[in-house]
Amino acid sequence: MSTATDTLAAFTAGYDFPLDAFQVEACRHVEAGSGVLVAAPTGSGKTVVGEFAVFLALQRGTKCFYTTPIKALSNQKFHDLVERHGAGNVGLLTGDTTINGEAPVVVMTTEVLRNMIYANSRTLTGLGFVVMDEVHYLADRFRGAVWEEVIIGLAETVQVVSLSATVSNAEEFGAWLDEVRGDVRIVVSERRPVPLFQHVMAGRRLYDLFAAEAPTARAVPAGHAEVNPELLKLAKEESRGVRDDSRRLRGRRVRNEIARRNPRSSLVPRRDATIERLDAEALLPAIFFIFSRAGCDAAVGQLMHSGVRLTNAAERNELASIAAAHTAGLGAADLEALDFGSFLAALQNGIAAHHAGLLPAFKEAVEEAFGRGLVKVVFATETLALGINMPARSVVLERLVKFNGESHAPITPGEFTQLTGRAGRRGIDVEGHAVVLWQTNMDPRAVAGLASTRTYPLRSSFAPTYNMAVNLVGAVGRERARVLLEQSFAQYQSDRGVVGLARTIARNTERIEGFLAQAGCERGDFAQYARLRGDISALEAEAARSRRADRRAEALDVLLQLKPGDILRVPSGRHTGWAVVVDPGLAKGDPQPMVMTQERQLKRLSLVDFPTPPIVAGRMRVPKHFDPRQPASRRNLSAAFRSKLAELDLSAHRYQPSAADGEVADRIAELRRQVKAHPCHDCPDRENHARWAEQALRLERDNEGLQRQADRRTNTIAMRFDRICSVLESLGYLSEGGTEVTEAGRMLARIYAELDLVSAECLRAGVFDALNAPQLAAVLSTLVFEARGGERRRPPRMPDRASEQAQSALRAIWRQVGLTERDHRLERGPEPDIGFAEAVFGWASGRPLGDVLDDSGLTAGDFVRWARQVVDFAGQLAQAAGPGNVRTTCREVVERVRRGVVDAAPLED
């Protein structure tokens, strides 16, 4: 039997570099039979530990599954392992691609392994190791739960090797893994394999960010570093020349005037000048992060317009060959629609963009060309930082602010670390470089804070779903499922938070006792007296809130029943007075009536304009074809409105507020009587005592709130699971008592969409039965598509009458499911989105790519990604529906949509 040293030596003989200490430590833990969490910077060689697990599995005759978060990484790892161990020993499973699936080593996406566990697949037999690459993906809001499902669901005999980027709570994550899996060792390395130097580019000059060595350039990043004084001087000089309010100036002429008076504003570097400077300093290849797809494409155009060329003739020929190989499956018409000529011209100059809107085949070409050092600059969105391995010599950040889905916000130290972690190629570069471009009002100290702070905490995004519930109940029973869910990292983190709440409650309790001692009164129990007064205040406040809520509900009810021509009084606000309803505005759910006021103004109102219910005083006729844009139409309606008002008795139509609830009023009166009768009521020092007592009562209320928080955090995952099971039981997916999965539940178990329950209900209701393939593709798209802000050219619609009727039925089911969820205190699922329906209908009907992209306004990459989502979803429904028309039509959807660009580069997603 080999010793640990012999086995490790045999493994390392396959590498042309010695292993680092953290790699050796982690490999020895794996060989000793332990699970391991390896947290180390990007590019440090964490995957060596995963490859050692593969080596051990082949040596011992067991299986190893190597999981990755995205298809592109799976494809890359598959080719790496085939090259090392041979095609016969390595397989690939990515949902729509199967290569040698029963091999001893199989690379797969994490979702594939999760589905195997739920299905109790025979492929799991003999499984000894699972490598979870990029395990920090479990923080992902949309897909992170899958990692926890796998970690919790794998057999105890399986060794799990978890590979993570540097996270600041690795010990917490490792402790959870150890609790759930047993015998998991934590190996953390903060040592960058290539030192990272930090710079700021201002004008055409590259400044060091730090006065001395950057913290990230040290063997182990640590300690405080002073900011380069030259940068502080630049910032000070700039602030003298720019008015404090210049950042709020909107007009171009005003901004130009500021720039003319303040030549230092030319410190903001141009993109082409930045690349030329990096080229002159031998700092290419570079990844240039711009937090906007349009910005990335515009930057490529700017460099091309400036005549920047970063390649020689031999490289240009090689780049043309790479592009041709990756687009070989696309026809001439598709390439023309995709503006392939412009893409190729930029690529041959060594310039490219990389973002989710780019066609997958183009992205593959960029990745290969950049990996081979032929493309010298890639303009990328931040998604590249979490994607395929594309290290560079330098990383450039144009701005330190990005849109987070709701607003523009500064990037976090963790995000800065992730983005700049790409700089420095192990075995190629002696050092890496991160460059931040100067922006007006930049604070160099803030940049230094980002560059030297090592905080990237891992936060669980786990939450049970309907599909997860039926799969778990079917696999292990309801009680065992509940226990398993309580083992999630989300619950683990939540329970640790409860400890902090308990400490705060204890501190508050001590302070309460001290305040009550100060409030002591010789005439009686002052705490009791203060509570009576507090009860009165609380009841009065509750009664006022209740009256406001009643008024709002009444107002909503009136607005929902409005019709054109109704004359009503707007009770308050800028539009107070009488108005006539032109359009009830009920199309979007919440009523937003358009009215004409007595001043002939047309206004769109909402519920906030009606703090009290409006009174409908009468009705008048509004012409059927009234056009609010025509002055004559408005004049005629206004004249008729004034005439009608003159006929009505408006004095009688006033809102009469309801009195307080009788029972509440009686209770308040009784409490007032008790207050007056209390012995402390006549104490001459009453108000002084009351101040102390009120502080105590305020802390008591705080403690009650903290206790509710603690109660909510304890068993939160299990409580949500119980509510989900109650919904499933009420709809017939679980048996009475929720202990068995029904036939409908087994169907739901095959649907892995966010709107899984709505999809299953549509199948049961026959919503899809009469649709042909293009119509079904359109309707299915509404269950998976999610529009990006501002990407629509015109209001979306369903492509024909049949799909419109099916969509109406689907929305009715979504609303009904939402009501059931509300009754069980669950949040409603996202609203179906019809924004992709026409595009996928046209594509499934055989329309050319150019026409589909022109009509939809989608980028090629977005179109392909959503089309593949529809294909994947149709495949799930084909399995779930069972034999019959729907299964046949779903398979036809798959065949019709999976063509041309959608079928090209299937592993790039």
Side-chain angles (χ1 to χ4, degrees):
M1 184 174 176
S2 299
T3 66
T5 306
D6 292 338
T7 306
L8 204 49
F11 170 68
T12 54
Y15 293 88
D16 55 6
F17 57 85
L19 298 194
D20 290 341
F22 86 91
Q23 294 168 323
V24 172
E25 181 189 353
C27 287
R28 285 182 173 155
H29 287 318
V30 173
E31 190 181 11
S34 301
V36 67
L37 166 64
V38 184
T42 301
S44 60
K46 298 183 291 288
T47 54
V48 166
V49 184
E51 288 165 9
F52 182 62
V54 169
F55 179 84
L56 281 179
L58 290 171
Q59 193 176 69
R60 295 175 180 177
T62 61
K63 287 184 181 179
C64 178
F65 290 170
Y66 198 111
T67 71
T68 72
I70 55 177
K71 293 178 184 178
L73 279 174
S74 292
N75 191 34
Q76 185 181 60
K77 200 70 210 175
F78 169 69
H79 289 299
D80 291 347
L81 293 176
V82 164
E83 190 176 332
R84 184 171 290 273
H85 300 293
N89 285 324
V90 185
L92 176 68
L93 293 173
T94 61
D96 52 6
T97 302
T98 302
I99 301 172
N100 198 15
E102 294 299 325
V105 176
V106 184
V107 183
M108 61 184 68
T109 49
T110 317
E111 280 86 352
V112 170
L113 179 53
R114 184 270 310 274
N115 297 352
M116 275 188 192
I117 292 170
Y118 283 152
N120 197 21
S121 170
R122 286 179 298 174
T123 308
L124 295 168
T125 304
L127 181 62
F129 299 90
V130 166
V131 179
M132 303 197 76
D133 204 353
E134 310 280 353
V135 73
H136 52 272
Y137 255 76
L138 68 75
D140 184 83
R141 187 162 61 95
F142 299 105
R143 298 172 55 216
V146 177
W147 275 256
E148 293 191 48
E149 288 178 84
V150 167
I151 291 166
I152 293 169
L154 280 170
E156 292 179 8
T157 54
V158 177
Q159 280 179 252
V160 176
V161 176
S162 303
L163 310 178
S164 170
T166 305
V167 292
S168 51
N169 60 335
E171 288 74 16
E172 178 188 41
F173 184 45
W176 170 72
L177 284 168
D178 184 61
E179 188 172 295
V180 173
R181 301 294 313 164
D183 191 22
V184 172
R185 306 303 174 93
I186 305 167
V187 178
V188 176
S189 173
E190 295 217 27
R191 182 189 180 91
R192 282 185 52 88
V194 178
L196 177 64
F197 291 88
Q198 310 276 354
H199 311 279
V200 172
M201 185 166 176
R204 289 181 171 269
R205 184 178 167 190
L206 208 57
Y207 294 84
D208 289 333
L209 174 57
F210 295 99
E213 189 177 41
T216 50
R218 301 167 189 161
V220 178
H224 175 72
E226 294 294 332
V227 180
N228 185 345
E230 288 185 277
L231 288 174
L232 296 174
K233 183 180 177 183
L234 275 183
K236 191 173 182 179
E237 289 177 0
E238 184 191 58
S239 67
R240 285 192 189 129
V242 179
R243 290 209 323 257
D244 287 344
D245 62 345
S246 65
R247 72 190 74 183
R248 293 193 292 272
L249 293 171
R250 303 238 171 92
R252 181 175 293 178
R253 282 191 303 174
V254 181
R255 287 201 305 272
N256 289 343
E257 177 62 19
I258 288 290
R260 188 187 65 75
R261 283 187 278 139
N262 175 39
R264 305 300 299 183
S265 61
S266 61
L267 290 173
V268 178
R270 288 169 51 90
R271 289 164 177 167
D272 52 356
T274 301
I275 298 306
E276 288 168 352
R277 181 67 182 172
L278 293 178
D279 191 24
E281 297 276 354
L283 295 181
L284 297 180
I287 298 172
F288 196 123
F289 283 111
I290 299 174
F291 302 128
S292 149
R293 297 180 184 184
C296 291
D297 294 335
V300 172
Q302 286 165 7
L303 263 63
M304 293 297 288
H305 183 72
S306 299
V308 175
R309 178 180 281 182
L310 304 169
T311 52
N312 56 39
E315 289 173 327
R316 286 194 289 278
N317 289 334
E318 201 173 341
L319 285 161
S321 299
I322 290 171
H326 284 283
T327 57
L330 302 178
D334 285 352
L335 290 174
E336 184 179 351
L338 295 164
D339 196 15
F340 176 67
S342 298
F343 168 78
L344 179 60
L347 192 74
Q348 288 186 286
N349 279 9
I351 303 162
H354 189 290
H355 53 72
L358 199 66
L359 187 77
F362 288 9
K363 274 203 289 188
E364 274 194 356
V366 171
E367 287 160 6
E368 181 182 342
F370 193 80
R372 286 164 59 174
L374 299 170
V375 165
K376 303 306 194 305
V377 59
V378 168
F379 293 98
T381 55
E382 73 273 17
T383 53
L384 179 62
L386 296 173
I388 196 163
N389 183 27
M390 280 177 63
R393 180 166 296 164
S394 302
V395 164
V396 181
L397 275 71
E398 184 170 65
R399 293 179 183 275
L400 298 176
V401 173
K402 70 169 189 171
F403 188 68
N404 61 13
E406 295 177 357
S407 62
H408 286 87
I411 65 171
T412 65
E415 289 168 333
F416 187 90
T417 301
Q418 285 286 100
L419 295 165
T420 56
R422 293 276 175 195
R425 297 165 295 176
R426 185 170 193 172
I428 302 174
D429 300 319
V430 177
E431 57 194 33
H433 297 267
V435 181
V436 175
L437 301 192
W438 186 274
Q439 295 296 324
T440 304
N441 298 314
M442 176 179 277
D443 180 0
R445 292 187 184 87
V447 181
L450 282 174
S452 56
T453 304
R454 311 286 292 176
T455 56
Y456 182 55
L458 196 59
R459 294 281 174 255
S460 173
S461 62
F462 182 84
T465 64
Y466 296 111
N467 170 278
M468 189 192 300
V470 290
N471 272 302
L472 280 173
V473 172
V476 298
R478 180 157 175 180
E479 286 308 311
R480 175 65 180 152
R482 199 174 190 277
V483 170
L484 285 175
L485 291 175
E486 287 181 322
Q487 295 176 13
S488 68
F489 187 44
Q491 190 60 62
Y492 184 83
Q493 288 189 309
S494 188
D495 288 347
R496 285 168 73 98
V498 169
V499 175
L501 290 175
R503 289 198 194 102
T504 304
I505 290 171
R507 283 197 299 270
N508 284 352
T509 301
E510 286 183 23
R511 294 177 65 198
I512 288 167
E513 290 171 357
F515 289 146
L516 290 178
Q518 291 288 340
C521 177
E522 59 186 21
R523 298 197 176 195
D525 186 347
F526 203 91
Q528 182 189 58
Y529 176 74
R531 286 193 178 93
L532 288 173
R533 287 176 33 154
D535 289 347
I536 291 171
S537 298
L539 277 172
E540 288 176 337
E542 178 59 35
R545 280 195 299 271
S546 179
R547 286 196 295 275
R548 283 196 298 272
D550 289 345
R551 288 198 298 268
R552 188 178 185 280
E554 286 179 50
L556 178 60
D557 191 49
V558 172
L559 294 181
L560 287 170
Q561 296 178 49
L562 289 178
K563 294 180 177 58
D566 281 345
I567 296 172
L568 53 77
R569 181 173 178 79
V570 181
S572 63
R574 289 182 299 164
H575 312 304
T576 302
W578 292 96
V580 59
V581 176
V582 176
D583 169 25
L586 301 176
K588 295 183 179 179
D590 286 341
Q592 294 183 328
M594 177 185 281
V595 302
M596 175 177 278
T597 67
Q598 290 169 277
E599 290 75 33
R600 204 197 296 171
Q601 290 183 313
L602 284 167
K603 297 294 180 183
R604 182 73 73 179
L605 305 180
S606 67
L607 191 56
V608 297
D609 294 299
F610 297 95
T612 59
I615 300 296
V616 176
R619 295 204 70 217
M620 61 176 282
R621 180 179 171 276
V622 174
K624 186 174 182 181
H625 300 294
F626 172 76
D627 186 349
R629 291 168 297 185
Q630 295 295 326
S633 293
R634 294 201 300 272
R635 277 197 305 270
N636 292 339
L637 183 63
S638 178
F641 177 38
R642 286 199 301 272
S643 176
K644 186 68 177 177
L645 281 178
E647 298 173 9
L648 298 173
D649 178 11
L650 302 179
S651 61
H653 298 283
R654 297 283 179 182
Y655 173 71
Q656 299 297 323
S658 58
D661 178 84
E663 190 174 328
V664 174
D666 290 346
R667 176 64 181 147
I668 291 173
E670 171 59 23
L671 287 172
R672 289 191 186 284
R673 188 192 61 76
Q674 291 181 29
V675 164
K676 288 179 180 177
H678 199 281
C680 293
H681 186 64
D682 295 324
C683 175
D685 209 15
R686 182 183 69 189
E687 294 310 312
N688 185 41
H689 294 325
R691 278 192 290 274
W692 290 107
E694 282 163 8
Q695 290 185 69
L697 295 183
R698 195 176 303 118
L699 280 178
E700 282 186 354
R701 288 194 294 273
D702 290 348
N703 270 3
E704 288 168 5
L706 291 170
Q707 189 59 55
R708 283 194 295 272
Q709 281 187 50
D711 292 342
R712 281 197 301 270
R713 288 188 181 187
T714 307
N715 301 321
T716 47
I717 303 295
M719 282 166 55
R720 178 178 167 81
F721 173 70
D722 288 340
R723 290 170 185 171
I724 282 173
C725 287
S726 296
V727 169
L728 293 172
E729 190 180 337
S730 71
L731 295 175
Y733 292 90
L734 294 177
S735 64
E736 192 172 340
T739 56
E740 301 287 337
V741 178
T742 64
E743 188 61 37
R746 283 186 282 277
M747 178 260 290
L748 173 59
R750 297 185 177 95
I751 302 173
Y752 293 94
E754 191 170 6
L755 287 169
D756 45 10
L757 184 56
V758 173
S759 306
E761 285 289 275
C762 287
L763 271 178
R764 293 172 77 188
V767 170
F768 310 134
D769 291 1
L771 300 175
N772 62 30
Q775 291 164 346
L776 182 59
V779 175
L780 295 187
S781 76
T782 69
L783 291 163
V784 295
F785 179 69
E786 195 174 319
R788 294 177 75 241
E791 74 180 4
R792 290 170 172 162
R793 291 185 178 177
R794 57 181 172 78
R797 62 186 180 188
M798 297 304 291
D800 64 9
R801 184 170 179 77
S803 60
E804 177 67 50
Q805 289 174 339
Q807 176 62 17
S808 295
L810 184 152
R811 284 189 65 83
I813 286 172
W814 171 76
R815 283 193 293 270
Q816 191 56 50
V817 168
L819 291 173
T820 305
E821 288 171 325
R822 184 193 66 187
D823 292 343
H824 290 83
R825 289 182 295 161
L826 288 168
E827 66 279 8
R828 171 183 277 183
E831 186 173 358
D833 190 326
I834 65 173
F836 191 58
E838 286 184 291
V840 77
F841 177 89
W843 184 250
S845 300
R847 291 189 72 199
L849 176 66
D851 292 351
V852 172
L853 294 182
D854 285 345
D855 289 348
S856 67
L858 291 166
T859 65
D862 283 333
F863 170 74
V864 169
R865 187 170 72 258
W866 290 116
R868 288 178 176 175
Q869 292 266 358
V870 172
V871 166
D872 183 55
F873 187 45
Q876 293 176 26
L877 288 189
Q879 291 294 317
N885 288 340
V886 173
R887 171 175 283 184
T888 303
T889 312
C890 281
R891 287 176 174 169
E892 189 181 346
V893 167
V894 172
E895 290 171 12
R896 282 171 171 260
V897 177
R898 190 188 280 163
R899 66 177 177 91
V901 291
V902 178
D903 200 32
L907 292 172
E908 179 71 45
D909 209 349

